[in-house]
Amino acid sequence: MRKSLAVVMVSLLALALVLSACGPKPEQPNGGEPKTKTVGGQLVLGLTGNPVTFNPILSTDTTSGAIIGRVFNGLVRVNETMELVPDLAESWEFSPDGLTWTFKLREDVVWHDGTPFTAADVKYTYDAIKHPDYAGVRKTDFKPIKEVETQGDYTVILHLEEPYAPLLSKLTIGIIPKHIFETTSIKDMKENPACMQPIGTGPYKFVKWEKDQYIMVEANPDYYGEGPYIQTVIWKFYGDNQVMLAALEKGDIDYMGAIPPDDVERVQQALASTHEFKQIPQNGYTYIGLKQTDPILKDKLVRQALMYGTNRAQIVEEVLRGYGDVMHANLTPSSWAYAGDVLNPYEYNPEKAKELLDEAGWKVGADGIREKDGQKMNVKILTSTGNKILESALLITQQNWKELGINAVVEYIEWSVLCAQYLDVAKFQAYALGWSLGVDPDCYLYFHSSAAVDENGQLVGFNDVEFKNAELDELLERGRTEMDKETRKQIYVEIQKIINEELPYVFLYRNNTPAAMHKKVKGVVWGATGPLYPEKWWIEE
Amino acid sequence: MRSYIIRRILQMIPLLIGISIVNFTIMHLAPGDPVDLLVERNATAEERARIKELYGLNDPLPVQYFRWLGHVLKGDFGKSFVDGQSVSKTILERLPYTLYLNFLIMVVIYLIAVPVGIISALKQYSKFDHIMTTLAFLGQAIPSFWIGLILIYFFGLKLDWLPISGVGTIGLSVKTAGFWATFADRAAHVVMPVAVVAFGSLTGVARYMRSSMLEVIRQDYVRTARAKGLPEKVVIVKHALRNALLPIVTLLGSELPLLFGGMVVIESIFSWPGIGLLSIRAILQRDYQIVMAINMMGAVLMVLGNFLADLLYVVVDPRIKYS
């Protein structure tokens, strides 16, 4: 009896599907309950910050990135588990020596102005980044490419200087149209009108940008993939997070990506019936960099004492209101190469920290501050102004360290001054900042000895703490040249173990920002680091 | 008088050049330059040098200054280092919004502050005067971002009377909705920003008006007017007020630069696309061309405003003569 009822239900649903197929596009009923995707509607997203350019190879900020992601496509894209899947490239293969990468491109792609997309566009984009006059931040990413070769209209061959596995993750960068940009020199590229009125291949076409007010894009009917379903997408600019929050509550915007942790509970209650709340884990982390040559911090025991002696769980609980994870090494749980349980979690243990400091020879002096050979244990942490969460985290850290007998001082400095006078010349004792990470686990530029300071005192990579470890160097080099993913994973697990033991940084936390999406928006895929595949979303009023 | 005006105008030239030199030097002395923010942090020294060369940042400062001055004299403020767009276009895009907001604010301030100041003065130490004095101090003391957020919370969110941000509803224009609907929409958007700034600043003008009025009604000629039996209304309006307004009129002249000035806090709270957000961003990004253009605009207006104020003195006060 039950079975026959189920059969009736299924046939009714199938009938409904067939009927609805005439109007809105039906979704493939792949096991789940069938849904009807309506075409049309408008999605309004909240936006902080001001986009600088919509040229994917010049853009550096996440604000521009959000819009670029809907207007442009790369050869590959990142899926919900942070793996690389085909986008403009249909398939690719690596030569056995890893030096020749061949990409087969889709043949059904057209630019928003109707011109067909070809291999020449890919070559133009990569060559532009490699051009000496290119003033942007992707140069290092593309240095391993010796030459970009095209074969016919739909094959691109990359010739590499040496095998370099992380390159694939850099090919997510949007391809720009050659026929539009070749009229300007690389030096003047950003003056090309297409940087402000972009022409891409993506599911959405750019409509207009009213500075500091809003940006509007509309569905591209010629998009090669599934969708888009939502007709118009608008990003509304807000200069203040509290105001954006009010706009969310009022219904002016449908999505807000970073709700301040202090407000989450209240908003979640107020909007429980209309909005879906999700945590968006950040693929990045906040840390205190420790100068490895500093007389106090060069001792591994001291660095480990700082890890044990910093109540990082309290920071996550109180400052981030639980929206975050304690970090133990340099990869986040979002990464496919994350080491997980094999790492020492350094749970808060001030007693152990004090023992380690005693062992290292730092004895508590008359004033409560530890000292060794007449030197006081003073640590100065530099940080940039304007990050409230980090400020609160450092207050807790400072207090924790004081209890260990360490006199910690925090100094706040404007970002460009901090970079120019301290970080880029690698002159500091300790500093607190965050890294946001790429899709690939490669961390050569952060921890390889050759990425530290050269003989002229110039910082080569980002190894400003001057961490040097021969074993790690070797692993980092192998991690770049090894092409097999499983082997690479093992290499990066080893790397995380060494970093977790040697501690170039005090690893603090990564924040998971609470996000809210209106329930009328359907089909949202929540990936490792946020909502994905916007072209497949649709609106059900 | 004519020679005075010509002399003043000629004096402005070296003054403005001096200001531009000081601005230019201070800005270039600040650590970091636009190239640091354009290229990767780990770019090599040669790569940096090459990009600096392209933007002419390797030349000695005086060379860079005279190149800039040469272009400015031809009316060209250059292109932004950051987004490559024309500086004049970028500023002109925002100026109308700033002028529109600031003009309304000024009108509201003077419309309220002048009568309030007069009444406070005429009824010195009355209940009205005390309430106004208290409000004046509150307006000065409460930070505008706080008032802004409170207004947004009550009138925008709880009561849902007013839109909370922006200049107008997206997509609504005279073409799509007709003149009056558009007018109402724009007006609703501007109420809160105007209210917040006016509340914070009208107290200054009101106090100014009050003390000026207080000073005037103690003058002998006012007592004379009363003594010869003129009605109180005539004494106040004709004899006292006209003289008390003198300093207020000149205040208007010196407030000219304020009309063009941005208000970073208000602009970011109410998402108002004005000059303030543009300038703070340009400073943080070391976008020299935009910073210089905005600074010079401020300097020119300040110098002109002072000149205008001096001229207004002559117009309203026959005792003052320039030769």
Side-chain angles (χ1 to χ4, degrees), chain A residues 50 52 133 137 139-140 143 187 190-191 211-213 237-239 243 246-247 250 414 416-417 424 460, chain B residues 40-42 47 50 55 79 81 83-84 93-94 97 156 160 162 165 167 268 271 273 281 284 286:
Chain A
N50 180 52
V52 174
D133 287 351
V137 297
K139 196 163 245 167
T140 314
K143 262 180 194 158
K187 168 186 172 267
K190 63 182 163 211
E191 292 168 21
K211 302 273 170 70
D212 280 342
Q213 296 183 64
F237 167 78
Y238 292 92
V243 180
K250 195 180 158 95
E414 192 213 351
S416 38
V417 181
D424 291 350
V460 180
Chain B
E40 285 162 290
R41 269 184 60 203
N42 63 335
E47 284 165 356
R50 171 150 188 146
Y55 288 97
K79 284 179 175 142
F81 285 122
D83 64 13
E93 258 173 10
R94 286 154 189 276
Y97 294 108
D160 204 5
L162 293 169
S165 69
V167 257
S268 50
S271 309
R281 234 178 254 136
L284 290 177
R286 305 281 186 268

Side-chain angles (χ1 to χ4, degrees), chain B residues 34-96:
Chain B
V35 169
D36 290 331
L37 298 162
L38 283 179
V39 302
E40 285 162 290
R41 269 184 60 203
N42 63 335
T44 62
E46 299 85 67
E47 284 165 356
R48 264 172 220 271
R50 171 150 188 146
I51 302 300
K52 282 191 189 189
E53 189 64 46
L54 290 180
Y55 288 97
L57 291 166
N58 275 344
D59 301 328
L61 266 194
V63 175
Q64 291 191 43
Y65 174 76
F66 282 109
R67 188 166 51 218
W68 174 83
L69 189 65
H71 286 297
V72 167
L73 291 179
K74 282 183 256 162
D76 172 16
F77 280 92
K79 284 179 175 142
S80 154
F81 285 122
V82 177
D83 64 13
Q85 303 300 300
S86 142
V87 171
S88 351
K89 192 181 142 245
T90 306
I91 292 179
L92 287 177
E93 258 173 10
R94 286 154 189 276
L95 204 53

Side-chain angles (χ1 to χ4, degrees), chain B residues 229-291:
Chain B
L230 287 179
E232 186 65 13
K233 213 171 134 192
V234 179
V235 176
I236 298 299
V237 176
K238 213 170 165 193
H239 294 261
L241 184 60
R242 285 181 74 174
N243 286 299
L245 275 175
L246 268 182
I248 301 293
V249 173
T250 51
L251 195 65
L252 258 176
S254 55
E255 282 192 351
L256 184 69
L258 290 183
L259 201 57
F260 290 79
M263 296 168 290
V264 178
V265 175
I266 294 301
E267 285 172 23
S268 50
I269 297 255
F270 292 103
S271 309
W272 196 268
I275 292 283
L277 285 175
L278 178 71
S279 43
I280 190 83
R281 234 178 254 136
I283 291 170
L284 290 177
Q285 294 171 330
R286 305 281 186 268
D287 201 343
Y288 296 155
Q289 311 283 24
I290 292 188
V291 178

Side-chain angles (χ1 to χ4, degrees), chain B residues 178-194:
Chain B
F179 177 78
W180 288 109
T182 315
F183 178 79
D185 177 68
R186 299 289 188 269
H189 277 86
V190 86
V191 169
M192 284 202 280
V194 168

Side-chain angles (χ1 to χ4, degrees), chain A residues 471-488:
Chain A
E471 194 190 348
L472 187 78
D473 280 357
E474 198 256 320
L475 285 166
L476 285 168
E477 288 155 24
R478 270 180 54 210
R480 281 189 154 187
T481 48
E482 175 62 54
M483 297 298 288
D484 179 62
K485 196 170 163 185
E486 269 315 303
T487 321
R488 289 192 77 206

